[in-house]
Amino acid sequence: MAGIDWSERGLCETADPDALFVEGAAQKRAKALCGGCRVRTECLARALDERIEYGVWGGMTERERRALLRRRPTVTSWRRLLETARAAHGRTREATSSTRDIS
């Protein structure tokens, strides 16, 4: 997550910012924009680490982020946790595809 400013690579970079700070059913459209974004993890980590209260960040609404923060009150760095999870997921996916190649 270090290096180039990840926020400039987000799918929302060209979207209307007001579209990400909506309420109710409009949040589904905002979350859909995040679905294919390559910096979704970085975005979510920032929102969680900085306790950003409003808007859709990393595919989660403010209500979803608050619930996650309540469930995991001991997490001190969401960035580190999400980086670790992403790396582990990548290793698992590589191992699975390697096993399929052998079969």
Side-chain angles (χ1 to χ4, degrees):
M1 284 195 231
I4 299 170
D5 184 10
W6 60 265
S7 65
E8 295 175 3
R9 296 181 295 144
L11 290 177
C12 61
E13 181 66 17
T14 57
D16 176 8
D18 291 337
L20 299 172
F21 294 90
V22 292
E23 296 179 357
Q27 289 179 330
K28 284 186 178 183
R29 286 189 300 278
K31 288 173 61 169
L33 180 63
C34 301
C37 185
R38 62 184 181 196
V39 295
R40 181 178 179 175
T41 302
E42 291 85 348
C43 182
L44 178 58
R46 177 179 177 210
L48 292 167
D49 282 339
E50 296 182 18
R51 305 299 196 261
I52 297 174
E53 293 186 31
Y54 302 103
V56 172
W57 291 79
M60 293 184 84
T61 65
E62 55 266 13
R63 177 179 279 176
E64 293 166 333
R65 291 192 310 275
R66 280 194 305 270
L68 181 57
L69 290 166
R70 278 193 305 274
R71 283 193 311 269
R72 303 285 304 269
T74 60
V75 175
T76 56
S77 173
W78 285 94
R79 179 179 177 179
R80 188 170 43 249
L81 178 75
L82 294 174
E83 282 178 337
T84 302
R86 182 169 53 189
H89 180 70
R91 285 192 300 273
T92 302
R93 197 179 320 172
E94 288 172 10
T96 302
S97 64
S98 295
T99 303
R100 267 189 245 133
D101 293 341
I102 295 171
S103 304

